[in-house]
Every structure is written in C-alpha cells, then in structure tokens.
Amino acid sequence: MTRKKRRIYTDEQKSEAVRLAEQPHRSVREVAEGLGIRPSLLSKWKRKYGSSVAGPNVVISMDEKAELEALRKEVKTLRQERDFLSKSVAFFIKPRT
C-alpha cells in the first residue's frame, strides 16, 4: 500500500484559505472542499491565523503575529523571574532565631 505524499502549504496559502472561510456567505466545509483539504485542517488554520479576537475588519500580518507570540513568551518568562525573585527576597529577609 502506498502512502500519499503530504502537501506543504505556505503561510500565505493558509492565510488566504482562512480569509475565504471568514467571509460571511461561505462555510468552512464549502471552502475546504473547494480547496481540496479537510475541513478540520481549515478549522485549525482558522484558529491559528484567523482574526476572531480582532474582528473581521482588522488584519494582522504574519510578522505581527510572530512578534505578538514572542512578546507573550517574554512576558511569561519575566513573570516567572519576578515571582522567583520575590520569593527569594522573602527567604533572605526572614529573621533568624
């Protein structure tokens, strides 16, 4: 039995598919069938590349999405460092008996 070769899609192709799926008169299933992909794959792209939070009229570029993801990761790291430092300060300030 031969396996089908996996197709690789560019970010631009994924974004265009999501843009089509976000049009009010088209469903995810309809767009997926037109593009020859599974609806579940298009739904996954829609969650990742879609503009559900920002609204349908706001477009965020791939560079902006990457920057936002990097900033969120940095904020998480900084919060962890802050929490660690505040706990260590409390440890050293504790009076010794």
Side-chain angles (χ1 to χ4, degrees):
M1 186 158 105
T2 60
R3 290 182 120 179
K4 287 186 178 181
K5 190 174 180 181
R6 289 182 66 175
R7 294 192 300 185
I8 299 174
Y9 299 96
T10 64
D11 288 339
E12 290 81 21
Q13 290 172 321
K14 294 174 184 179
S15 295
E16 180 62 20
V18 168
R19 187 188 65 76
L20 291 171
E22 287 182 338
Q23 293 178 353
H25 62 280
R26 303 194 67 185
S27 68
V28 170
R29 180 178 299 272
E30 181 182 11
V31 173
E33 287 175 356
L35 296 173
I37 59 175
R38 295 183 326 270
S40 61
L41 180 60
L42 183 54
S43 294
K44 180 180 174 183
W45 291 350
K46 195 172 176 184
R47 281 191 302 276
K48 185 173 182 181
Y49 298 101
S51 58
S52 60
V53 174
N57 296 331
V58 178
V59 177
I60 299 175
S61 70
M62 297 306 293
D63 292 335
E64 291 172 325
K65 284 189 182 218
E67 182 182 7
L68 181 61
E69 190 173 315
L71 289 171
R72 285 181 175 160
K73 185 176 181 180
E74 184 179 359
V75 166
K76 181 179 178 184
T77 302
L78 290 171
R79 285 181 178 157
Q80 289 174 342
E81 290 173 356
R82 179 200 62 197
D83 293 344
F84 174 77
L85 288 173
S86 66
K87 289 177 185 177
S88 64
V89 167
F91 175 76
F92 286 112
I93 292 179
K94 191 178 354 176
R96 296 180 186 206
T97 58

